[in-house]
């Protein structure tokens, strides 16, 4: 850098010297260094032409200045006269001017007095050397004679040091100056035009000034260029180079214009010769030609000097720009190398199985491929070192270390990635050896388990079994671990604690298996020997075989994260299971042998569970890194269509959440049970709540499937699939979570099958039930999200308990009779959704489409509040039917299930809902009664509060034991049927949805709807009179205004209905006091009615043993009316 600055200073100094020389030379050429006077400055004075330099020369080359006859000569100001004479004497060369000038004073038309005055003035003001003065005296006789006489007498007065010759004619003048050197007005042939001469002199002097100014401007520009500080960034340097180049181009253009100007002047001087080769230029023209040529030479010198300086300056700027580009690229490449090096350092895992190591190797290869561009760019940048050196770059000292650093980083990265690859290859080699050993051990265990004990009792059978064992042991040469210490030495650089522990376990298993074979061989050899007496068949069993943990409940699980990765393959598993089944069927082995075989099968199921779990986690990670993460990669953004952007959450759902759960929690927990497979049910139960995340994933699956179909042909997905080297497209991997959650129940069933008598059997059964429940919840939720047309929030209806398709008939008290009759024969196909607070009736609609879009949707029709619902479990004539009735049988829906089992499930679930509501109402009523009791001044009579709770408990238990079909609870404190909540509250009025014309294709559209709004207003609002139903009732409010003054009832008393009277009065018997009397029916709440009063559609259709269980709407509202007790519930 210092060297460059020195060179630049030298170049600037050289430029300044050369340009200064040009300026001085221009002044010398134009004699401006002596007399700085220009024709343009005195152009008006020169135009008067009282004196001019014609270009003629005397005999010895003296310049001739002519003073033509100028009448106003005496009137010329002295300053102008002095300027003109000074300028004219400065034009000839110094050599010619040094010889002296010849003055020709033409006064032929003047008087002697004027001649005398002119001579005196010229003599006094002439600034140059004089060689000779020639005066053409006046031509008049008198003035001529006078001038001769006067000249003789006044010769001394003229004070001229040169001779003054008075000439009488032009011919005499030609005796002193050649005719060719005189102008035409003096009788000569010299071609002279004063205006042309003045114009040419002005042009030459302007050109000289242009040359000088150009040199000065280039001096200033050169200084500016040299003093400009170099920027530190690419953009500023590039901008500076462009600015300087633009200014240089302008300078070059000015020089070009000046050269053209000089060429034009020179051409005008030489034009006569060009037009006429015989024409000879006078000395003045030759001097002008020489002047212009010298000025042009100086201009070319100026241009050459500047070009040489510019080349150096441009080279400096270009090198600076190149340096800034290099530094910027170096920073970018260095940062990229740091990133890839950091990512490479993350490849520390040596894997826990062959498949895992292969996956890491594949990731490493992909990483190397992605990093290849960075390494190539770094090496190309480092290779520029030689180019910088060859170009003699001024900053080569700072560039070489950076290039060396890049070479070092690239070599280090290449070495490290090769080292990582070698480690992983060694790890793969070790895992392959371990898996071969595990597989060999498993096959050995299968062989021992599959040898029939009864056939081994004979000599031939024992020898055959020995041959099988020996043949199998021969295969162990290339499959088993021979020396453990050798493995430790050979793979010391990859053996971490977990892998070392895994190697020890495999080796221990191998030793145990070999010990089992040795013991089996000893037993078989004894059997193969000649027998002298019958031997009782005994199944040889290796004592070293590890017992199942189910016989030792106190065993502790070993916490290890790296268990046997691929101990068994499914083919061997199925083969072994089949062989074990045949073994059980063919012989009656000992209990211990059976238990050992079951332990083997349990272990194989466990191995398959863990192996498939690991593969599942790896597949999820592969999708998240290879697809989901790439959607946020700026380098891949150009491949993603605008419609697909920001749709990652829709396409992948909560797959990342599922991956983290399985990778961080569930897989690790599973691995802790690898030695105790029969206890794995606990692992599922501990994490059961976390499996709820699959419901969210499955609910999003239709949207994901739809989005995939729109963009399955996207170049982005094809590129990702190519990089991952997947044979299947992304949609196959998006289905993995759905497939996995369904796989667990199959594995749990298998594990439970082989763990019937083990400690963890109950946990396995509970885990299986829970997984099946999750699958059902997922399935139900998939149907629930397909409901359309419901105005409220489905989440407010409570948990979805059941869903399914049914045939539905209606039998309402309202509506057209014909429609009611048709309803018995025209079932509606409805899909029912049972929630905790309501049951929804929907119409199933099949949708066109593919995949998940082909799934049906459900159009909401109406709903029933479970607080006002009752059921009739059995309908005469069909074991698949049951009734759901609403609002005291105001609306009756006959439901036909696909099978009796489905019906039983639904009835049981509805019973649970109604029972829980009944219990909640009962507790609320009892709490209310207790509060009122405590507020009374005196305690209530024992007869009114002693028995209801006990009776209720006893009768409820009795009802549950007998499983009565019908139980009724018409509200908790009022006989008034509840009103429907408003539609905006989430409850739709049933009367607005089920119309006969829509739901029954054969019904007439002119018929009145089954549940019209008009029909509802007539009596559905709960304002109708209470229907007489024999049975027991509870009193809602105190009443003491009966016909008999002695008849009073208190809230909570039980009464028996005797008969119905007028004006809504009923004649009842108070079961507490035994008294009878009249009481308004509205004061009573029915507890138990006779069985025949709760018949289904009609008395002819319902069974005699039918009864009804229902709860009226809004338990809290009814309980607020009064304190109510429940008792004497009978089946």
């Amino acid at each position: 850098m210092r060297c460059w600055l020195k060179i630049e200073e030298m170049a600037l100094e050289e430029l300044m010297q050369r340009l200064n020389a040009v300026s001085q030379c221009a002044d010398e050429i134009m004699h401006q260094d002596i007399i700085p006077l220009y024709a343009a400055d005195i152009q008006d004075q020169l135009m008067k032409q009282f004196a001019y330099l014609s270009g003629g020369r005397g005999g010895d080359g003296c310049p001739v200045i002519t003073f033509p006859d100028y009448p106003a000569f005496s009137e010329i100001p002295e300053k102008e006269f002095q300027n003109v004479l000074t300028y004219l004497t400065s034009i000839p060369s110094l050599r010619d001017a040094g010889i002296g000038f010849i003055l020709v004073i033409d006064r032929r038309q003047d008087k002697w007095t004027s001649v005398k005055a002119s001579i005196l003035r010229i003599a006094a003001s002439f600034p140059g050397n004089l060689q000779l003065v020639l005066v053409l005296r006046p031509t008049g006789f008198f003035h001529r004679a006078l001038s001769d006489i006067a000249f003789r007498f006044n010769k001394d007065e003229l004070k001229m040091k040169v001779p003054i010759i008075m000439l009488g004619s032009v011919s005499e003048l030609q005796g002193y100056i050649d005719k060719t050197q005189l102008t035409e007005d003096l009788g000569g042939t010299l071609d002279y035009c004063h205006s042309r001469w003045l114009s040419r002199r002005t042009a030459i002097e302007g050109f000289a000034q242009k040359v000088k100014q150009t040199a000065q401007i280039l001096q200033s520009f050169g200084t500016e260029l040299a003093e400009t500080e170099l920027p530190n960034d690419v953009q500023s340097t590039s901008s500076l180079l462009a600015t300087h180049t633009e200014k240089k181009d302008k300078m070059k253009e000015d020089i070009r214009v000046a050269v053209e100007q000089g060429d034009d002047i020179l051409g005008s001087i030489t034009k006569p010769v060009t037009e006429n080769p015989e024409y000879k230029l006078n000395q003045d023209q030759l001097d002008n030609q020489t002047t212009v040529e010298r000025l042009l030479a100086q201009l070319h010198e100026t241009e050459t000097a500047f070009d040489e300086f510019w080349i150096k300056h441009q080279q400096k700027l270009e090198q600076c720009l190149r340096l800034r580009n290099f530094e910027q690229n170096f920073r970018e490449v260095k940062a990229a190398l740091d990133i890839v090096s950091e990512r490479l350092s993350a490849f520390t895992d040596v894997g826990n199985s062959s498949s895992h190591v292969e996956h890491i190797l594949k990731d490493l290869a992909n990483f190397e491929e992605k990093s290849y561009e960075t390494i190539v760019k770094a090496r190309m940048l480092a290779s520029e070192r030689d180019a910088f050196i060859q170009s003699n770059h001024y900053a080569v000292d700072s560039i070489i270390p950076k290039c060396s650093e890049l070479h070092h980083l690239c070599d280090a990265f290449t070495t490290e990635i090769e080292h990582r690859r070698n480690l992983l290859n060694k790890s793969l080699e070790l895992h392959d050896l371990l898996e071969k050993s595990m597989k060999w051990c498993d096959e050995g265990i299968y062989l021992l388990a599959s040898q029939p004990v009864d056939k081994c009792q004979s000599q031939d059978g024992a020898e055959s079994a020995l041959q099988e064992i020996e043949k199998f042991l021969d295969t162990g040469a290339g499959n088993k671990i021979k020396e453990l210490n050798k493995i430790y030495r050979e793979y010391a650089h990859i053996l971490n604690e977990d892998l070392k522990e895994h190697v020890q376990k495999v080796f221990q298993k191998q030793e145990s298996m070999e010990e089992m074979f040795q013991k089996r061989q000893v037993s078989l050899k004894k059997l193969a020997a000649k027998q002298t007496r019958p031997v009782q068949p005994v199944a040889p069993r290796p004592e070293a075989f590890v017992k199942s943990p189910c016989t030792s409940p106190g065993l502790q699980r070993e916490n290890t994260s790296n268990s046997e990765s691929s101990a068994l393959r499914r083919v061997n598993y199925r083969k072994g299971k089949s062989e074990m089944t045949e073994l059980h069927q063919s012989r009656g082995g000992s209990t211990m042998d059976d238990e050992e075989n079951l332990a083997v099968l349990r272990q194989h199921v466990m191995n398959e569970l863990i192996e498939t779990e690991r593969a599942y986690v790896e597949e999820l990670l592969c999708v998240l890194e290879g697809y989901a993460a790439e959607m946020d990669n700026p380098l891949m953004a150009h491949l993603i269509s605008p419609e697909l952007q920001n749709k990652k959450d829709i396409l992948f759902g909560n797959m990342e959440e599922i991956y983290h759960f399985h990778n961080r929690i569930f897989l690790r927990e599973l691995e802790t049970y690898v030695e105790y497979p029969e206890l794995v049910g606990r692992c599922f139960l501990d994490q059961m709540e976390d499996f709820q995340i699959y419901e969210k994933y499955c609910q999003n699956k239709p949207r994901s499937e739809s989005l995939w179909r729109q963009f399955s042909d996207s170049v982005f997905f094809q590129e990702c699939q190519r990089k991952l080297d997947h044979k299947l497209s992304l949609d196959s991997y998006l289905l993995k979570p759905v497939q996995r959650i369904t796989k667990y129940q199959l594995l749990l069933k298998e594990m439970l099958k082989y763990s019937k008598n083990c400690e963890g059997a109950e946990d396995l059964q509970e885990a299986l039930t829970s997984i099946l429940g999750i699958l059902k919840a997922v399935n139900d939720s998939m149907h629930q999200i397909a409901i359309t047309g419901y105005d409220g929030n489905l989440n407010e209806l409570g948990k979805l308990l059941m869903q399914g398709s049914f045939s539905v008939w209606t039998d309402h008290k309202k509506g057209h009779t014909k429609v009611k009759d048709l309803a018995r024969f025209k079932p509606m196909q409805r899909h029912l959704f049972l929630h905790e607070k309501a049951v929804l009736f929907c119409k199933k609609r099949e949708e066109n489409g593919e995949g998940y879009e082909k799934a049906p949707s459900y159009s909401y029709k109406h709903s029933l509040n479970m607080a006002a619902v009752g059921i009739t479990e059995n309908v005469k004539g069909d074991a698949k039917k049951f009734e759901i009735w609403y609002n005291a049988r105001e609306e009756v829906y006959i439901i036909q299930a696909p099978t009796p089992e489905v019906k039983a499930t639904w009835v049981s679930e509805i019973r649970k809902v109604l029972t829980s509501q009944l219990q909640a109402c009962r507790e609320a009523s009892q709490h209310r009664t207790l509060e009122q009791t405590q507020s009374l001044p005196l305690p209530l009579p024992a007869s009114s509060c002693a028995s209801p709770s006990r009776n209720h408990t006893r009768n409820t238990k009795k009802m549950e034991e007998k499983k009565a079909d019908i139980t009724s609870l018409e509200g908790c404190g009022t006989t008034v049927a509840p009103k429907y909540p408003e539609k905006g509250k989430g409850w739709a009025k049933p009367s607005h949805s089920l119309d006969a014309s829509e739901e029954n294709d054969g019904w007439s559209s002119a018929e009145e709807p089954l549940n019209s709004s008009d029909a509802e207003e007539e009596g559905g609002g709960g304002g109708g009179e209470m229907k007489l139903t024999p049975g027991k009732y509870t009193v809602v409010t105190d009443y003491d205004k009966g016909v008999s003054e002695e008849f009073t009832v208190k809230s909570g008393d039980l009464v028996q209905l005797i008969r119905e009277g007028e004006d809504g009065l009923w004649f009842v018997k108070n079961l507490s006091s035994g008294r009878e009397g009249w009481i308004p029916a509205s004061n009573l709440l029915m507890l138990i009615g006779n069985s025949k009063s709760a018949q289904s559609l009609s008395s002819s259709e319902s069974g005699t043993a039918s009864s009804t269980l229902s709860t009226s709407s809004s338990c809290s509202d009814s309980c607020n009316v009064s304190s109510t007790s429940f008792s004497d519930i009978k089946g």
Side-chain angles (χ1 to χ4, degrees), residues 760-790:
E762 292 183 0
D763 289 342
L764 285 171
Q765 181 61 56
E766 186 178 352
L768 175 60
T769 303
S770 300
I771 286 291
L772 291 174
I774 288 178
L775 291 177
K776 177 182 177 300
V778 170
N779 183 59
D780 291 346
S781 67
M782 295 294 290
H783 288 274
Q784 182 180 1
I785 63 175
I787 297 176
T788 60
Y790 184 76

Side-chain angles (χ1 to χ4, degrees), residues 337 340 371-380 410 413-414:
L337 286 175
V340 297
S371 305
Y372 177 77
E373 183 178 352
T374 301
I375 299 301
V376 170
K377 187 175 181 181
R379 291 196 182 278
M380 288 181 63
C410 291
F413 176 83
T414 304

Side-chain angles (χ1 to χ4, degrees), residues 824-877:
R824 299 175 182 273
F825 308 103
K826 295 284 187 176
M828 297 174 290
Q829 299 303 316
R830 288 289 180 264
H831 200 90
L832 272 60
F833 294 86
L834 176 62
H835 294 76
E836 291 176 327
K837 297 182 181 179
V839 56
L840 273 61
F841 290 75
C842 300
K843 184 175 182 180
K844 186 177 181 180
R845 301 186 185 277
E846 296 291 344
E847 299 290 344
N848 297 324
E850 299 178 359
Y852 283 91
E853 286 190 355
K854 196 174 182 181
S857 64
Y858 302 97
S859 298
Y860 169 78
K861 293 303 177 183
H862 71 127
S863 59
L864 302 178
N865 188 342
M866 290 301 295
V869 162
I871 62 169
T872 302
E873 298 186 13
N874 296 319
V875 176
K876 184 178 180 181

Side-chain angles (χ1 to χ4, degrees), residues 832-960:
L832 272 60
F833 294 86
L834 176 62
H835 294 76
E836 291 176 327
K837 297 182 181 179
V839 56
L840 273 61
F841 290 75
C842 300
K843 184 175 182 180
K844 186 177 181 180
R845 301 186 185 277
E846 296 291 344
E847 299 290 344
N848 297 324
E850 299 178 359
Y852 283 91
E853 286 190 355
K854 196 174 182 181
S857 64
Y858 302 97
S859 298
Y860 169 78
K861 293 303 177 183
H862 71 127
S863 59
L864 302 178
N865 188 342
M866 290 301 295
V869 162
I871 62 169
T872 302
E873 298 186 13
N874 296 319
V875 176
K876 184 178 180 181
D878 195 336
K880 296 184 292 184
K881 288 183 179 179
F882 64 97
E883 287 183 354
I884 297 179
W885 45 268
Y886 191 69
N887 202 23
R889 300 187 67 83
E890 194 75 28
E891 302 174 13
V892 179
Y893 300 91
I894 301 131
I895 313 297
Q896 184 182 47
T899 64
E901 291 75 14
V902 174
K903 170 205 164 180
T905 304
W906 272 74
V907 168
S908 174
E909 199 65 36
I910 294 175
R911 186 193 299 118
K912 291 179 183 178
V913 175
L914 298 182
T915 302
S916 64
Q917 291 183 353
L918 173 64
Q919 182 66 27
C921 289
R922 180 184 298 125
E923 292 174 356
S925 179
Q926 291 175 350
H927 179 69
R928 182 73 175 180
T929 302
L930 180 61
E931 288 180 349
Q932 291 186 356
T933 302
Q934 293 175 350
S935 65
L936 293 176
L938 295 175
L940 290 174
S943 60
S944 65
C945 59
S947 62
S949 178
R950 292 193 300 271
N951 292 339
H952 168 71
T953 304
R954 181 178 65 256
N955 290 324
T956 301
K957 183 176 181 181
K958 182 179 179 181
M959 176 188 67
E960 293 176 351

Side-chain angles (χ1 to χ4, degrees), residues 666 669-670 673 679-688 691:
F666 191 62
E669 289 295 320
L670 278 180
Y673 289 87
L679 302 180
V680 76
R682 298 178 189 174
C683 179
F684 279 89
L685 292 177
D686 291 342
Q687 311 301 330
M688 195 56 64
F691 280 101

